Short mmCIF file of all heavy atoms in Angstrom, two decimals:
data_model
loop_
_atom_site.label_atom_id
_atom_site.label_comp_id
_atom_site.label_asym_id
_atom_site.label_seq_id
_atom_site.Cartn_x
_atom_site.Cartn_y
_atom_site.Cartn_z
N ALA A 234 -1.08 8.67 -8.68
CA ALA A 234 -0.35 7.43 -8.38
C ALA A 234 1.03 7.47 -9.03
O ALA A 234 2.03 7.11 -8.40
CB ALA A 234 -1.13 6.21 -8.87
N GLN A 235 1.09 7.92 -10.26
CA GLN A 235 2.36 8.00 -10.98
C GLN A 235 3.32 8.96 -10.27
O GLN A 235 4.50 8.67 -10.11
CB GLN A 235 2.11 8.45 -12.41
CG GLN A 235 3.27 8.29 -13.33
CD GLN A 235 2.84 8.48 -14.77
OE1 GLN A 235 1.92 9.25 -15.07
NE2 GLN A 235 3.48 7.77 -15.67
N LEU A 236 2.82 10.10 -9.83
CA LEU A 236 3.64 11.07 -9.12
C LEU A 236 4.17 10.48 -7.81
O LEU A 236 5.35 10.60 -7.50
CB LEU A 236 2.82 12.33 -8.82
CG LEU A 236 3.52 13.46 -8.10
CD1 LEU A 236 4.64 14.03 -8.95
CD2 LEU A 236 2.53 14.54 -7.73
N LEU A 237 3.31 9.82 -7.06
CA LEU A 237 3.73 9.21 -5.80
C LEU A 237 4.75 8.11 -6.04
O LEU A 237 5.73 7.97 -5.29
CB LEU A 237 2.53 8.67 -5.04
CG LEU A 237 1.60 9.74 -4.45
CD1 LEU A 237 0.27 9.12 -4.03
CD2 LEU A 237 2.26 10.45 -3.29
N LEU A 238 4.54 7.31 -7.08
CA LEU A 238 5.45 6.21 -7.37
C LEU A 238 6.79 6.69 -7.90
O LEU A 238 7.77 5.95 -7.87
CB LEU A 238 4.80 5.23 -8.35
CG LEU A 238 3.62 4.45 -7.78
CD1 LEU A 238 2.91 3.68 -8.88
CD2 LEU A 238 4.08 3.52 -6.67
N SER A 239 6.86 7.93 -8.36
CA SER A 239 8.14 8.47 -8.82
C SER A 239 8.86 9.22 -7.70
O SER A 239 9.95 9.73 -7.90
CB SER A 239 7.93 9.39 -10.03
OG SER A 239 7.21 10.54 -9.64
N SER A 240 8.26 9.25 -6.52
CA SER A 240 8.88 9.96 -5.38
C SER A 240 9.97 9.10 -4.76
O SER A 240 10.08 7.90 -5.02
CB SER A 240 7.83 10.31 -4.33
OG SER A 240 7.50 9.17 -3.56
N ASN A 241 10.75 9.72 -3.89
CA ASN A 241 11.83 8.99 -3.22
C ASN A 241 11.29 8.09 -2.10
O ASN A 241 12.04 7.37 -1.47
CB ASN A 241 12.89 9.95 -2.68
CG ASN A 241 12.31 10.91 -1.66
OD1 ASN A 241 11.10 11.02 -1.50
ND2 ASN A 241 13.18 11.64 -0.99
N MET A 242 9.99 8.11 -1.86
CA MET A 242 9.36 7.29 -0.82
C MET A 242 8.67 6.07 -1.41
O MET A 242 7.88 5.42 -0.73
CB MET A 242 8.36 8.13 -0.03
CG MET A 242 8.96 9.29 0.74
SD MET A 242 9.97 8.75 2.11
CE MET A 242 8.71 8.16 3.22
N VAL A 243 8.94 5.74 -2.66
CA VAL A 243 8.21 4.69 -3.34
C VAL A 243 8.30 3.35 -2.61
O VAL A 243 7.30 2.64 -2.47
CB VAL A 243 8.64 4.56 -4.82
CG1 VAL A 243 10.07 4.09 -4.94
CG2 VAL A 243 7.71 3.61 -5.57
N ALA A 244 9.46 2.99 -2.10
CA ALA A 244 9.60 1.70 -1.41
C ALA A 244 8.71 1.64 -0.18
O ALA A 244 8.02 0.65 0.06
CB ALA A 244 11.06 1.45 -1.03
N ALA A 245 8.69 2.70 0.60
CA ALA A 245 7.86 2.73 1.80
C ALA A 245 6.38 2.70 1.45
O ALA A 245 5.58 2.05 2.12
CB ALA A 245 8.17 3.98 2.62
N LEU A 246 6.00 3.38 0.37
CA LEU A 246 4.60 3.39 -0.06
C LEU A 246 4.15 2.00 -0.50
O LEU A 246 3.06 1.56 -0.18
CB LEU A 246 4.40 4.38 -1.21
CG LEU A 246 4.34 5.85 -0.82
CD1 LEU A 246 4.49 6.72 -2.06
CD2 LEU A 246 3.04 6.16 -0.11
N LEU A 247 5.00 1.31 -1.24
CA LEU A 247 4.65 -0.01 -1.74
C LEU A 247 4.62 -1.05 -0.64
O LEU A 247 3.85 -2.01 -0.69
CB LEU A 247 5.62 -0.45 -2.84
CG LEU A 247 5.54 0.34 -4.14
CD1 LEU A 247 6.58 -0.16 -5.12
CD2 LEU A 247 4.15 0.27 -4.76
N GLU A 248 5.44 -0.87 0.38
CA GLU A 248 5.49 -1.84 1.47
C GLU A 248 4.48 -1.55 2.56
O GLU A 248 4.35 -2.33 3.51
CB GLU A 248 6.91 -1.85 2.06
CG GLU A 248 7.93 -2.40 1.11
CD GLU A 248 9.35 -2.22 1.60
OE1 GLU A 248 9.52 -1.84 2.77
OE2 GLU A 248 10.27 -2.46 0.82
N GLY A 249 3.77 -0.43 2.46
CA GLY A 249 2.76 -0.13 3.46
C GLY A 249 3.35 0.23 4.81
O GLY A 249 2.86 -0.19 5.85
N GLU A 250 4.43 1.00 4.79
CA GLU A 250 5.06 1.44 6.04
C GLU A 250 4.01 2.07 6.95
O GLU A 250 3.10 2.76 6.49
CB GLU A 250 6.14 2.47 5.70
CG GLU A 250 6.94 2.94 6.88
CD GLU A 250 7.99 3.96 6.47
OE1 GLU A 250 9.09 3.52 6.10
OE2 GLU A 250 7.70 5.15 6.54
N ARG A 251 4.11 1.84 8.25
CA ARG A 251 3.20 2.35 9.28
C ARG A 251 1.86 1.63 9.28
O ARG A 251 0.91 2.09 9.88
CB ARG A 251 2.96 3.85 9.14
CG ARG A 251 4.20 4.69 9.29
CD ARG A 251 3.81 6.15 9.20
NE ARG A 251 4.91 6.98 8.86
CZ ARG A 251 5.74 7.54 9.72
NH1 ARG A 251 5.60 7.34 10.98
NH2 ARG A 251 6.72 8.31 9.32
N LYS A 252 1.76 0.54 8.58
CA LYS A 252 0.52 -0.23 8.58
C LYS A 252 0.80 -1.60 9.17
O LYS A 252 1.87 -2.14 9.00
CB LYS A 252 -0.02 -0.40 7.17
CG LYS A 252 -0.52 0.87 6.53
CD LYS A 252 -1.06 0.50 5.19
CE LYS A 252 -1.75 1.62 4.50
NZ LYS A 252 -2.32 1.18 3.24
N GLU A 253 -0.17 -2.14 9.81
CA GLU A 253 -0.03 -3.46 10.42
C GLU A 253 -0.92 -4.44 9.66
O GLU A 253 -2.15 -4.33 9.70
CB GLU A 253 -0.45 -3.41 11.89
CG GLU A 253 -0.34 -4.73 12.60
CD GLU A 253 1.06 -5.34 12.53
OE1 GLU A 253 2.04 -4.63 12.78
OE2 GLU A 253 1.15 -6.53 12.19
N PRO A 254 -0.35 -5.39 8.91
CA PRO A 254 -1.14 -6.33 8.12
C PRO A 254 -2.19 -7.11 8.92
O PRO A 254 -3.19 -7.53 8.36
CB PRO A 254 -0.11 -7.27 7.52
CG PRO A 254 1.15 -6.48 7.49
CD PRO A 254 1.08 -5.58 8.70
N SER A 255 -1.99 -7.29 10.20
CA SER A 255 -2.97 -8.03 10.99
C SER A 255 -4.16 -7.15 11.38
O SER A 255 -5.18 -7.64 11.86
CB SER A 255 -2.33 -8.60 12.25
OG SER A 255 -1.84 -7.55 13.06
N ASP A 256 -4.05 -5.84 11.15
CA ASP A 256 -5.13 -4.91 11.46
C ASP A 256 -6.30 -5.16 10.50
O ASP A 256 -6.11 -5.28 9.30
CB ASP A 256 -4.61 -3.48 11.30
CG ASP A 256 -5.60 -2.42 11.72
OD1 ASP A 256 -6.81 -2.72 11.81
OD2 ASP A 256 -5.17 -1.28 11.93
N SER A 257 -7.51 -5.22 11.02
CA SER A 257 -8.68 -5.49 10.17
C SER A 257 -8.93 -4.40 9.15
O SER A 257 -9.59 -4.61 8.14
CB SER A 257 -9.92 -5.70 11.03
OG SER A 257 -10.22 -4.51 11.73
N ALA A 258 -8.40 -3.19 9.38
CA ALA A 258 -8.57 -2.08 8.45
C ALA A 258 -7.44 -1.99 7.43
O ALA A 258 -7.42 -1.09 6.61
CB ALA A 258 -8.68 -0.77 9.22
N PHE A 259 -6.50 -2.95 7.47
CA PHE A 259 -5.34 -2.91 6.58
C PHE A 259 -5.78 -2.99 5.12
O PHE A 259 -6.61 -3.82 4.74
CB PHE A 259 -4.39 -4.07 6.89
CG PHE A 259 -3.21 -4.15 5.96
CD1 PHE A 259 -2.19 -3.23 6.04
CD2 PHE A 259 -3.14 -5.13 5.00
CE1 PHE A 259 -1.10 -3.29 5.20
CE2 PHE A 259 -2.05 -5.21 4.14
CZ PHE A 259 -1.03 -4.27 4.24
N THR A 260 -5.22 -2.12 4.31
CA THR A 260 -5.47 -2.12 2.87
C THR A 260 -4.13 -2.07 2.15
O THR A 260 -3.12 -1.70 2.73
CB THR A 260 -6.31 -0.89 2.43
OG1 THR A 260 -5.61 0.28 2.84
CG2 THR A 260 -7.69 -0.92 3.04
N ALA A 261 -4.13 -2.44 0.91
CA ALA A 261 -2.93 -2.36 0.09
C ALA A 261 -3.31 -1.71 -1.24
O ALA A 261 -4.40 -1.95 -1.76
CB ALA A 261 -2.35 -3.75 -0.14
N PRO A 262 -2.42 -0.90 -1.79
CA PRO A 262 -2.74 -0.20 -3.04
C PRO A 262 -3.17 -1.13 -4.17
O PRO A 262 -4.15 -0.86 -4.86
CB PRO A 262 -1.43 0.52 -3.39
CG PRO A 262 -0.67 0.60 -2.13
CD PRO A 262 -1.08 -0.57 -1.30
N LEU A 263 -2.46 -2.24 -4.34
CA LEU A 263 -2.80 -3.17 -5.43
C LEU A 263 -4.19 -3.77 -5.22
O LEU A 263 -4.97 -3.90 -6.17
CB LEU A 263 -1.75 -4.28 -5.54
CG LEU A 263 -1.93 -5.26 -6.69
CD1 LEU A 263 -1.89 -4.54 -8.04
CD2 LEU A 263 -0.86 -6.33 -6.64
N HIS A 264 -4.52 -4.12 -4.00
CA HIS A 264 -5.83 -4.69 -3.71
C HIS A 264 -6.96 -3.69 -3.99
O HIS A 264 -7.99 -4.04 -4.55
CB HIS A 264 -5.91 -5.14 -2.25
CG HIS A 264 -5.09 -6.34 -1.94
ND1 HIS A 264 -3.71 -6.33 -1.98
CD2 HIS A 264 -5.44 -7.58 -1.59
CE1 HIS A 264 -3.25 -7.52 -1.67
NE2 HIS A 264 -4.28 -8.31 -1.42
N LEU A 265 -6.72 -2.44 -3.61
CA LEU A 265 -7.73 -1.41 -3.83
C LEU A 265 -7.96 -1.16 -5.33
O LEU A 265 -9.09 -1.03 -5.78
CB LEU A 265 -7.32 -0.11 -3.13
CG LEU A 265 -7.34 -0.18 -1.60
CD1 LEU A 265 -6.63 1.01 -1.01
CD2 LEU A 265 -8.78 -0.27 -1.10
N ALA A 266 -6.87 -1.10 -6.08
CA ALA A 266 -6.99 -0.91 -7.53
C ALA A 266 -7.64 -2.12 -8.18
O ALA A 266 -8.48 -1.99 -9.07
CB ALA A 266 -5.62 -0.64 -8.13
N ALA A 267 -7.27 -3.32 -7.72
CA ALA A 267 -7.78 -4.55 -8.31
C ALA A 267 -9.28 -4.71 -8.07
O ALA A 267 -10.03 -5.01 -8.99
CB ALA A 267 -7.03 -5.75 -7.75
#
């Protein structure tokens, strides 16, 4: 997680790029960790 968060793609990773929040399979990193 630390390596990914230090990458140049951190904003896209945190915002869930390519994911649709209305999708029933939608997950978010914070929710999974929590």
Side-chain angles (χ1 to χ4, degrees):
Q235 193 168 32
L236 181 65
L237 289 165
L238 292 171
S239 67
S240 77
N241 61 348
M242 296 291 288
V243 66
L246 283 166
L247 292 178
E248 292 171 10
E250 184 180 273
R251 298 183 200 271
K252 292 182 173 183
E253 180 56 48
S255 62
D256 185 342
S257 64
F259 177 73
T260 57
L263 184 60
H264 289 67
L265 292 167

